[in-house]
């Protein structure tokens, strides 16, 4: 498989891909450190950190339209002032007609580029600029939007993209697939007719689509699980077992009573975990772990963690985003399974979502 160039989306020709190619370790370092040359080469990225180029160009075009409206309004006002003051200016032999004349003559132009506000910059803080002739840029954007609309129509009519009117049905089907009810695909999917369904085991009896909750992102599923445990089970500290995706630890530490962090997730960490639990000095609300972990790809001993959860009465939450529910069955050991569906379930890495 040929290497996808640095900064290009994965898949390579996805207009709104949430994954980006960082093929070399130094590329990752440059990106994390915000090296300007690396940031300038980015054509895609995760939406929380990177605004898609199509959206940037559309934003720029809208800005130009607004500036143009303001300039036209100012020009009309200047013309009125010029007409109203022409006789008095002549009688006084001059005056402030220079600025008015400049506006009327059209020498006050809209800017040829738009520098984004700092609040909308990408994660490195580097400003995104769009240079060139405004009319040409906006015309190109208009052509792109028309092409996008045409492609969307084709995909909705003949391809795999469902019309937005089928959103609720699509969510229900996704919940059924996650819970273990497989919906057969076919032409009846789009028509709304009954589907042939069959059950597969997820290791839990009486599991149904009503046990699955969809969220806008994977981190949202972790946050909602964390808040639900604190609100309805017990408001005590949680445990983060193993080195996780960094935002998981931030959620556990920042929202609620706090957390204990066992960063290795192996060896002596199990003994230290048991020592904490058996000390009786504090109650634990939940233990969060990843299988396998991101980015170290370590797999915890879920059997041992399950035994500890039963003994000390805390909720065991497993994040299976890397392995995902297609390849892993962890529900028979976990109380809650959370997943990021982003990059996974659309097939083109251009849709965000999560579940728990």
């Amino acid at each position: 498989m040929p290497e996808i160039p640095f900064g290009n989306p994965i898949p390579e020709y996805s207009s709104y891909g949430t994954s980006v190619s960082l093929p070399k370790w130094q590329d990752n370092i440059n990106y994390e450190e915000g090296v300007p040359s690396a940031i300038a080469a980015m054509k895609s990225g995760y939406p929380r950190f990177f605004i898609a180029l199509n959206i940037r160009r559309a934003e720029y075009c809208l800005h130009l339209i607004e500036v143009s409206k303001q300039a036209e309004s100012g020009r009309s006002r200047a013309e009125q002032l010029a007409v109203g003051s022409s006789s008095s200016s002549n009688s006084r032999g001059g005056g402030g007609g220079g600025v008015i004349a400049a506006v009327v003559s059209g020498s006050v132009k809209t800017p040829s580029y738009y520098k984004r506000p700092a609040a909308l910059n990408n994660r490195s803080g580097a400003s995104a600029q769009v240079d060139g002739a405004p009319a040409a840029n906006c015309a190109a954007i208009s052509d792109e939007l028309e092409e996008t609309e045409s492609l969307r129509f084709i995909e909705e009519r003949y391809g795999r993209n469902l019309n937005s009117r089928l959103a609720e049905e699509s969510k229900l089907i996704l919940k059924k697939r996650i819970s273990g009810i497989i919906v057969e695909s076919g032409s009846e999917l789009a028509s709304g007719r009954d589907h042939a369904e069959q059950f597969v085991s997820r290791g839990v009896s009486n599991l149904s689509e009503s046990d699955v909750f969809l969220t806008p992102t994977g981190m949202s599923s972790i946050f909602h699980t964390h808040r639900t445990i604190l609100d309805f089970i017990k408001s005590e500290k949680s445990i983060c077992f193993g080195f996780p995706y960094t935002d998981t630890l931030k959620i556990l530490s920042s929202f609620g009573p706090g957390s204990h962090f066992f960063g290795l997730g192996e060896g002596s960490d199990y003994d230290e975990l048991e020592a904490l639990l058996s000390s009786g000095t504090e109650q634990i609300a939940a233990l969060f772990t990843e299988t396998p972990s991101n980015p170290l790809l370590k797999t915890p001993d879920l059997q041992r963690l399950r035994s500890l959860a039963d003994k000390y009465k805390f909720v065991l939450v497993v994040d299976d985003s890397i392995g995902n529910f297609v390849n892993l069955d962890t529900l028979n050991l976990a109380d809650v399974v959370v997943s990021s569906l982003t990059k996974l379930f659309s097939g083109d890495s251009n849709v965000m979502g999560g579940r728990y």
Side-chain angles (χ1 to χ4, degrees), residues 207-276:
L207 186 67
S208 73
E209 65 272 18
S210 62
D211 298 307
V212 179
F213 300 90
L214 301 179
T215 59
T217 65
M219 293 314 303
S220 178
S221 70
I222 293 173
F223 176 80
H224 281 288
T225 299
H226 176 56
R227 291 301 307 174
T228 299
I229 292 170
L230 295 182
D231 290 344
F232 295 100
I233 300 179
K234 53 183 174 181
S235 183
E236 304 288 350
K237 285 186 177 181
S238 295
I239 291 171
C240 184
F241 193 79
F243 195 89
Y245 181 69
T246 180
D247 286 353
T248 299
L249 184 57
K250 290 179 181 178
I251 287 175
L252 300 182
S253 302
S254 302
F255 299 93
S259 65
H260 296 282
F261 180 38
F262 295 85
L264 293 177
E266 60 184 16
S268 61
D269 273 2
Y270 288 98
D271 298 328
E272 293 178 18
L273 172 62
E274 289 199 53
L276 170 67

Side-chain angles (χ1 to χ4, degrees), residues 3 38 154 168 217 274:
E3 181 180 286
I154 293 172
E168 292 306 314
T217 65
E274 289 199 53

